[in-house]
């Protein structure tokens, strides 16, 4: 298995194509797309809905399959992973943040954060301690025993950021993480996400239509005719 990390590249994508086929049409979203991301970089893919941004993130996350090309993330050849390998890849290598927080409604903020580590085999005491530290880092430690329904939208997304870091992933994938928030909370969560990625020395690949958020990245791309172009 090819190892992008040996070359200080955490992502290497070559000739990526993603085509959706229905009874009535064949729609190619991504076509001959290449992307290289070095460890520790903060990469943003910006632009309007429908351009293929989320599709690219879903392919890298193993949520969607490739039509053609290769996607190497760390030691993982994502397009060739079986179901068990995909689960391991997501558990140990990726931290995922979405537009909707996807917190479990019947569990507290603390439980939502430590549970992925506990499921992955981390001792419960150690998982709880790490979760508490992350909740403190994102500014909601005092809300740790509250259910998602008792938290504001900004607080729920703070918890989601903490959860994405619990298993010490190498790569954070964030798909419109501020998309459901009001302008003030969007700025706050954007600043928080970048500061946490910097603090914990993670690589970030972020999709957004918010150009103010996009400006925080080391590099900003847009997808044009299925391929990446530097936006600035």
């Amino acid at each position: 298995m090819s190892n992008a990390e040996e070359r200080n590249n955490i992502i290497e994508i070559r000739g990526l194509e993603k085509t959706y086929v229905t009874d009535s049409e064949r729609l190619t979203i991504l076509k001959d797309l290449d992307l290289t991301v070095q460890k520790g970089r903060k990469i943003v893919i910006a632009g309007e809905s429908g351009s293929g941004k989320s599709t690219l993130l879903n392919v890298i996350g193993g949520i969607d399959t490739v039509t053609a090309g290769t996607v190497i993330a760390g030691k993982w050849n994502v397009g060739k992973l079986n179901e068990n390998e995909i689960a391991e890849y997501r558990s140990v290598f990726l931290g995922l943040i979405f537009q909707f927080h996807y917190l479990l409604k019947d569990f507290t903020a603390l439980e939502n954060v430590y549970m992925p580590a506990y499921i992955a085999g981390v001792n419960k005491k150690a998982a709880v301690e790490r979760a508490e530290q992350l909740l403190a880092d994102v500014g909601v430690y005092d809300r740790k025993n509250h259910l998602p329904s008792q938290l504001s939208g900004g607080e729920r997304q703070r918890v989601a950021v903490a959860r994405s870091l619990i298993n010490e992933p190498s790569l954070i994938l964030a798909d419109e993480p501020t998309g459901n928030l009001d302008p003030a909370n969007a700025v706050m969560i954007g600043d928080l996400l970048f500061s946490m990625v910097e603090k914990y020395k993670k690589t970030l690949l972020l999709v957004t239509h918010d150009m103010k958020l996009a400006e925080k990245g080391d590099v900003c791309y847009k997808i044009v005719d299925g391929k990446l172009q530097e936006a600035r």
Side-chain angles (χ1 to χ4, degrees):
M1 186 178 290
S2 177
N3 190 339
E5 287 188 309
E6 290 179 356
R7 297 181 293 279
N8 201 41
N9 295 333
I10 197 166
I11 298 173
E12 290 184 357
I13 297 175
R14 296 290 177 264
L16 176 63
E17 179 184 322
K18 180 58 186 178
T19 298
Y20 294 97
V21 179
T22 67
D23 292 338
S24 59
E25 65 177 339
R26 179 182 178 89
L27 182 62
T28 297
I29 303 295
L30 305 174
K31 184 176 182 180
D32 199 26
L33 183 148
D34 295 335
L35 174 64
T36 299
V37 178
Q38 293 181 321
K39 289 183 196 176
R41 300 280 280 170
K42 294 175 278 292
I43 307 300
V44 176
I45 302 172
E48 296 306 313
S49 297
S51 63
K53 306 185 308 296
S54 293
T55 299
L56 176 58
L57 220 63
N58 286 342
V59 166
I60 296 169
I63 297 166
D64 209 344
T65 57
V66 301
T67 304
T70 58
V71 177
I72 308 296
K75 70 176 184 179
W76 311 88
N77 188 334
V78 179
K80 294 186 176 181
L81 301 180
N82 62 37
E83 193 172 314
N84 289 336
E85 291 168 335
I86 283 285
E88 183 186 4
Y89 166 65
R90 290 188 195 141
S91 175
V92 305
F93 189 77
L94 296 181
L96 301 172
I97 308 170
F98 299 98
Q99 182 170 341
F100 185 69
H101 55 80
Y102 291 113
L103 299 178
L104 300 172
K105 65 183 180 67
D106 296 325
F107 293 87
T108 66
L110 178 61
E111 289 167 335
N112 267 282
V113 175
Y114 84 68
M115 197 171 298
Y118 185 54
I119 291 172
V122 176
N123 171 276
K124 183 176 179 180
K125 182 175 182 291
V128 169
E129 287 176 354
R130 177 164 173 78
E132 288 179 333
Q133 179 60 58
L134 286 167
L135 288 170
D137 286 345
V138 300
V140 288
Y141 180 84
D142 61 337
R143 309 287 282 168
K144 68 177 183 176
N145 294 320
H146 288 68
L147 297 172
S149 61
Q150 299 170 313
L151 302 174
S152 69
E155 287 171 338
R156 288 192 288 266
Q157 204 65 335
R158 284 174 182 261
V159 174
V161 171
R163 181 184 56 188
S164 75
L165 291 161
I166 189 65
N167 280 342
E168 303 187 53
S170 299
L171 174 64
I172 302 292
L173 300 180
D175 190 357
E176 298 281 8
T178 64
N180 271 346
L181 302 173
D182 61 79
N185 270 310
V187 171
M188 177 268 292
I189 290 295
D191 289 345
L192 173 70
L193 175 57
F194 275 86
S195 69
M196 290 292 284
V197 166
E198 188 73 28
K199 177 175 181 175
Y200 284 98
K201 296 179 171 55
K202 304 303 180 186
T203 306
L204 175 66
L205 185 59
L206 181 145
V207 157
T208 185
H209 66 271
D210 181 346
M211 294 312 297
K212 288 184 178 179
L213 181 58
E215 290 172 1
K216 296 179 181 296
D218 298 322
V219 182
C220 181
Y221 295 102
K222 58 183 177 179
I223 297 178
V224 178
D225 295 329
K227 300 180 182 181
L228 289 176
Q229 291 184 0
E230 282 202 34
R232 57 168 172 77

